Amino acid sequence: PRKNHEQVLRWYLRGNFAENLVIVGNLGWNSGKLRELLLKSIDENQGKILWLREIDDRKLKNLIQESSIGICASHVEGYDLPLREFLYHGKPVVASDIPAHRDETLNTALDLIHFFVLNDDSSFDRAITRARSSMKKKQTNLHLKTWKEAAERFADLLKNLD
């Protein structure tokens, strides 16, 4: 539920899109209602909505490269690696306007991030429209930190707490 798939599904089901909606991830906690809605939507839209679970990194990378727009609609997020992966591949992203999506490390890619207000379907529609108009693929200056770099930065932050 924190990933906000319900709002994304509601948007997709209202439209008539040539693109498929691909949702990647396993079922989270407290998701019974969402699971029912998702499975019903998949059945009713025969092949237009895909739910991929337990996919490997190579397949995920291919999906991101083949996508037209990334959607990162979470209510709450820590780092949001998928957002950064979409940006790294030059894909426009529709993102909820939450602190994790306003991280200063994303400033070099702000022209590809299209924010929307959570639970506001018209704001989501406008963000999708802006993202579609910026679909020209381009490489960004976004640097994805390695695990080593992230660990070193975290260690530095801990040292400075004294």
Side-chain angles (χ1 to χ4, degrees), residues 23-134:
I23 297 172
V24 177
N26 297 323
L27 193 62
W29 55 270
N30 198 20
S31 300
K33 179 182 164 191
L34 176 60
R35 181 181 183 277
E36 288 176 26
L37 175 63
L38 184 53
L39 292 175
K40 180 181 176 203
S41 300
I42 290 169
D43 284 344
E44 292 175 354
N45 290 276
Q46 303 165 355
K48 297 293 291 173
I49 299 174
L50 307 170
W51 181 19
L52 305 177
R53 294 161 276 195
E54 299 182 24
I55 66 170
D56 64 35
D57 290 342
R58 185 179 320 161
K59 180 157 182 156
L60 181 60
K61 180 181 176 183
N62 289 340
L63 283 169
I64 289 171
Q65 289 174 328
E66 293 171 14
S67 68
S68 53
I69 295 173
I71 299 175
C72 299
S74 295
H75 290 281
V76 176
E77 200 55 72
Y79 183 71
D80 205 347
L81 185 57
L83 178 130
R84 287 159 172 82
E85 289 174 321
F86 281 114
L87 295 173
Y88 180 79
H89 291 287
K91 302 297 180 168
V93 178
V94 172
S96 51
D97 196 355
I98 60 173
H101 295 160
R102 294 284 187 174
D103 183 308
E104 67 186 33
T105 63
L106 299 171
N107 287 348
T108 59
L110 284 177
D111 59 328
L112 285 174
I113 305 173
H114 307 281
F115 295 103
F116 73 95
V117 177
L118 281 166
N119 302 315
D120 182 337
D121 290 348
S122 63
S123 176
F124 189 86
D125 286 336
R126 289 190 301 274
I128 290 287
T129 300
R130 289 191 309 271
R132 285 181 176 203
S133 70
S134 71

Side-chain angles (χ1 to χ4, degrees), residues 129-146:
T129 300
R130 289 191 309 271
R132 285 181 176 203
S133 70
S134 71
M135 284 175 35
K136 302 176 219 82
K137 184 176 174 149
K138 66 177 203 173
Q139 194 68 24
T140 66
N141 294 325
L142 187 67
H143 172 71
L144 293 177
K145 285 185 173 54
T146 65

Side-chain angles (χ1 to χ4, degrees), residues 142-158:
L142 187 67
H143 172 71
L144 293 177
K145 285 185 173 54
T146 65
W147 283 111
K148 182 180 179 194
E149 290 170 326
E152 288 170 351
R153 175 157 164 94
F154 183 65
D156 289 342
L157 289 170
L158 290 176

